[in-house]
Amino acid sequence: MTEEFGTSVFERALEDPEEAVVTRPVAEAQGLQPEDLGVLVHLLLLPPTTQATGKTLAAGMRALGWKMSIDRFEVIAKRLTSAGHLLRRSVYNPKTKRPEWRYRAYRNPANNPQYIATGAVALSQVSGGIGENPVPERTCPGETGENPASPGQSQHRVLPGSGAESGKTRFPSGGV
């Protein structure tokens, strides 16, 4: 080993994130809407040193073609804060000589010390254990090989508003 490498100091470079991983517990978190997850991903993809106002972030999302007003962004930020994805703290601003609110985005609420301090460790997305699937397992007739219709009953369902007679549909259910 040469002297150059043996005594040199190595560190990780700060790079803009190229991806944001959304785990099943995050995607299925109670109280979050699909748009909340989109905003969370948008926040997680910001460069680590970026500081932007809510107005700037909403404008950036609109520039991407999103329908995002500052009011909508505020509602989403409140839900993300409640779910533990945003840490909210008051920081003194020497320029204005007043405190201001600062938010920090977390992919995993377990890394948000403020959220953990509220006793949220019992939530499934934070705990280390494996929880139950909240959706009961139901097998589709096609998975079990069973006929979905009783003897003498049509195999076609009625789609609401389709105008079809009871027991019939415009779409055949078999063989697709």
Side-chain angles (χ1 to χ4, degrees):
M1 182 179 291
T2 65
E3 187 66 26
E4 176 187 351
F5 289 104
T7 59
S8 298
V9 176
F10 292 83
E11 63 186 19
R12 184 161 185 335
L14 285 177
E15 301 172 293
D16 292 351
E18 295 179 15
E19 60 187 17
V21 177
V22 176
T23 61
R24 179 178 298 278
V26 171
E28 295 176 351
Q30 291 292 320
L32 291 183
Q33 300 298 312
E35 65 184 352
D36 302 346
L37 298 176
V39 169
L40 177 61
V41 168
H42 183 78
L43 292 171
L44 294 173
L45 290 174
L46 291 173
T49 58
T50 298
Q51 291 185 345
T53 65
K55 289 180 182 179
T56 304
L57 291 170
M61 289 179 226
R62 282 193 305 275
L64 293 172
W66 296 24
K67 294 180 179 178
M68 184 63 62
S69 67
I70 185 61
D71 293 334
R72 189 174 193 175
F73 181 80
E74 181 181 341
V75 170
I76 292 169
K78 286 178 181 179
R79 285 193 300 250
L80 289 173
T81 301
S82 294
H85 293 287
L86 292 178
L87 176 138
R88 179 181 184 232
R89 61 189 170 108
S90 178
V91 176
Y92 179 76
N93 183 339
K95 287 183 180 178
T96 62
K97 297 184 179 175
R98 296 179 55 99
E100 65 185 15
W101 289 112
R102 296 258 177 108
Y103 290 84
R104 180 173 290 151
Y106 288 91
R107 180 190 60 81
N108 184 349
N111 296 329
N112 180 343
Q114 188 179 65
Y115 187 66
I116 297 303
T118 64
V121 273
L123 293 177
S124 64
Q125 70 183 39
V126 178
S127 68
I130 298 174
E132 282 186 36
N133 185 352
V135 179
E137 287 191 34
R138 290 179 280 174
T139 56
C140 296
E143 292 175 349
T144 60
E146 297 173 11
N147 187 347
S150 302
Q153 180 185 12
S154 172
Q155 290 188 11
H156 303 288
R157 295 176 293 200
V158 174
L159 295 178
S162 67
E165 296 176 26
S166 179
K168 296 183 180 177
T169 182
R170 298 181 306 181
F171 303 103
S173 61
V176 179

